[in-house]
Amino acid sequence: MTGFSISEDLLQAENAARRPALDEDYAALARALGRRGIDADALTRQVMAFGVAIPTWGVGTGGTRFARFPGPGEPRHLFDKLEDCATIHRLARATPTISPHFPWDATSDYAALRDVAANHGLAFDAVNSNTFQDQPNQAHSYKFGSLSHVDPAVRAQAVAHNIDCIAIGQKLGSKALTVWIADGANFAGQSNLTLALDRYLASMREIYAGLPGDWRVFLEHKLYEPAFYATVISDWGTSFAAAQELGPQAQCLVDLGHHAPNVNIEQIVARLVRFGKLGGFHFNDSKYGDDDLDTGSVEPFRLFLVFNELIDAGLRGADGFAPAYMLDQSHNVTDPIESLMQSAIELQRAYAQALIVDRSALAAAQAANDALGAHLELKRGFTTDVSPILAMARLRAGGAIAPIETYRASGYRQHKTKERPPVAGTSAGIV
Ligand code: RM4
Ligand code: MN
Ligand code: MN
């Protein structure tokens, strides 16, 4: 890092102050888990191996349709974003990768970018294309759609952008492209629902043909917004059918906020796993729609149930099961660094709680039609406070026992506020 970075001395001092209490809590939990036949150290090692990608757009302060309230010292460009991602990973040790978005993250030298990231100890996960916004000097507008647009010239431009994203991703060491389109309609009759999907599929076939052999493409569905009457890839069924038609390298991406309220997302996950089409996740939380709230902040039980399906799939050795884990959140009222650390920790919590579910007891209860007994097996995992395991995993991986407190004690944001004077013209909206 060129500017301020959190010193090893501060990290050690913060950890030393918390170490005796952690050792006590960890020992007590290890004894309790031991009585259930669970090895706490093995669980800690599994948590240490769990990682989720940070979205580059998540480290800036987000915004709504109404306003954006920039935070002090927020990143001005990609290299500042990398610095913040490195800080998040340094303390929480759960985010070894980043997921970039183009052209938001466009730069002239991608080999150099990859090196800078590697020096921060970071690698790249899926690259995201953006055909939901017009860029300066762009020949055709996406106002009425992109990959499914009625005009072949607009579709060709959107296809070319996705192919460019693949080329950039190859330079960054990425192995997947995530495609989310904003295409849809605001009025009944505005668009031919069948032909729009046909055009999308034809465009996607061209993108698919441009995928390197060891790459995957993730199709991300979304129920509504910005189109409010119908979206082209509205739900997991459409996404699944499209992925099926495209071929084995196409899989579905589940963004937790992209469903109608109360939809059973864990069942969607189970279905996609069953058909070898679960590509990955955009984790966040939601109360009403695509709220992009912090992961685990609204419905931690649902998050746990999603992980319950993932653990089940992993143990079964489900075919084609290798989901990519990414966050996709917008931080409007918090420091994004704090939110992203906490969200990664909430994912590790759900993961650990799902890991300690007694799978044979659960299967036995299910086989005996013991509905409450089966439910209680799940609840036993969910109600176990695994915080000492998570803290010990961070400590053993070289991170902070208490990442947010340590971050606050470091004064990182105050230092960055001096180093990063605000730039004029930073726009409203999600970035
Ligand atoms: C969309 C969707 C995409 C993300 C954009 C910024 O709602 O979640 O994944 O790239 O927002
Ligand atoms: Mn998303
Ligand atoms: Mn979204």
Side-chain angles (χ1 to χ4, degrees):
M1 285 190 198
T2 47
F4 173 83
S5 68
I6 296 173
S7 76
E8 194 56 33
D9 284 355
L10 176 92
L11 183 57
Q12 296 297 340
E14 289 283 321
N15 281 345
R18 295 181 174 89
R19 183 71 196 257
L22 174 60
D23 284 341
E24 237 178 74
D25 294 348
Y26 185 85
L29 178 58
R31 277 195 301 276
L33 291 174
R35 285 193 293 275
R36 286 152 64 174
I38 299 161
D39 176 352
D41 285 332
L43 184 60
T44 303
R45 280 194 296 277
Q46 283 175 291
V47 169
M48 287 167 73
F50 179 91
V52 61
I54 299 180
T56 50
W57 62 102
V59 287
T61 310
T64 67
R65 290 188 292 131
F66 303 100
R68 192 180 88 89
F69 298 96
E74 64 179 34
R76 298 157 302 178
H77 45 65
L78 187 55
F79 293 93
D80 285 351
K81 291 181 187 176
L82 287 184
E83 233 180 31
D84 288 358
C85 291
T87 301
I88 292 166
H89 187 47
R90 172 103 191 279
L91 298 178
R93 309 303 303 170
T95 54
T97 49
I98 47 187
S99 185
H101 215 303
F102 295 104
W104 290 341
D105 293 327
T107 183
S108 52
D109 186 349
Y110 290 102
L113 173 62
R114 188 178 179 169
D115 285 350
V116 173
N119 288 337
H120 283 309
L122 300 168
F124 288 92
D125 206 322
V127 294
N128 300 261
S129 62
N130 177 343
T131 60
F132 47 86
Q133 233 181 4
D134 286 346
Q135 305 303 329
N137 308 320
Q138 186 176 299
H140 306 283
S141 172
Y142 295 132
K143 179 169 180 174
F144 293 102
S146 59
L147 294 176
S148 79
H149 199 284
V150 288
D151 181 349
V154 183
R155 299 202 295 275
Q157 176 182 282
V159 167
H161 168 64
N162 277 279
I163 304 278
D164 281 351
C165 286
I166 296 171
I168 295 171
Q170 283 184 288
K171 291 185 193 144
L172 296 178
S174 175
K175 292 272 179 248
L177 168 72
T178 298
V179 181
W180 173 69
I181 53 162
D183 297 30
N186 272 12
F187 291 88
Q190 179 186 334
S191 155
N192 182 309
L193 300 179
T194 303
L195 297 184
L197 183 61
D198 278 347
R199 292 191 294 267
Y200 166 85
L201 285 167
S203 298
M204 278 308 305
R205 267 193 285 276
E206 290 182 49
I207 297 169
Y208 188 94
L211 282 178
D214 58 347
W215 270 55
R216 291 183 289 169
V217 61
F218 302 145
L219 314 183
E220 180 176 2
H221 58 275
K222 179 169 172 173
L223 179 66
Y224 75 97
E225 195 209 17
F228 289 105
Y229 167 69
T231 62
V232 175
I233 306 300
S234 50
D235 51 28
W236 76 273
T238 311
S239 175
F240 170 78
Q244 190 79 348
E245 208 165 298
L246 287 170
Q249 287 170 259
Q251 291 186 312
C252 307
L253 183 139
V254 177
D255 182 313
L256 294 194
H258 289 192
H259 308 90
N262 299 328
V263 160
N264 188 333
I265 297 177
E266 59 272 22
Q267 190 173 34
I268 292 173
V269 170
R271 292 287 181 267
L272 290 174
V273 166
R274 168 62 182 78
F275 297 109
K277 285 295 184 190
L278 180 72
F281 289 90
H282 275 177
F283 288 112
N284 48 47
D285 216 332
S286 149
K287 184 80 180 161
Y288 303 105
D290 190 23
D291 308 333
D292 283 334
L293 296 172
D294 289 16
T295 303
S297 66
V298 182
E299 294 209 42
F301 187 50
R302 181 170 65 186
L303 188 62
F304 162 79
L305 293 174
V306 166
F307 273 91
N308 179 52
E309 294 305 324
L310 298 176
I311 301 300
D312 185 65
L315 290 173
R316 251 185 302 116
D319 249 9
F321 179 73
Y325 297 137
M326 293 163 279
L327 290 161
D328 182 4
Q329 305 180 164
S330 178
H331 312 106
N332 302 343
V333 296
T334 57
D335 180 327
I337 290 184
E338 294 187 6
S339 271
L340 287 162
M341 290 196 294
Q342 190 58 35
S343 297
I345 291 168
E346 291 311 314
L347 287 171
Q348 289 188 325
R349 185 186 312 283
Y351 176 58
Q353 288 170 328
L355 278 170
I356 60 178
V357 168
D358 183 336
R359 301 275 147 194
S360 46
L362 178 62
Q366 289 169 346
N369 291 315
D370 179 0
L372 189 63
H375 179 66
L376 291 179
E377 287 301 337
L378 280 189
K379 274 291 180 68
R380 202 141 73 107
F382 178 66
T383 55
T384 302
D385 182 4
V386 295
S387 301
I389 299 279
L390 309 185
M392 191 58 89
R394 285 192 295 277
L395 181 69
R396 290 184 183 167
I401 293 175
I404 291 183
E405 290 83 344
T406 302
Y407 170 73
R408 290 185 178 183
S410 77
Y412 179 90
R413 189 59 79 185
Q414 289 79 353
H415 284 280
K416 293 299 154 193
T417 304
K418 284 192 211 112
E419 288 173 18
R420 303 172 179 172
V423 279
T426 327
S427 66
I430 176 146
V431 284

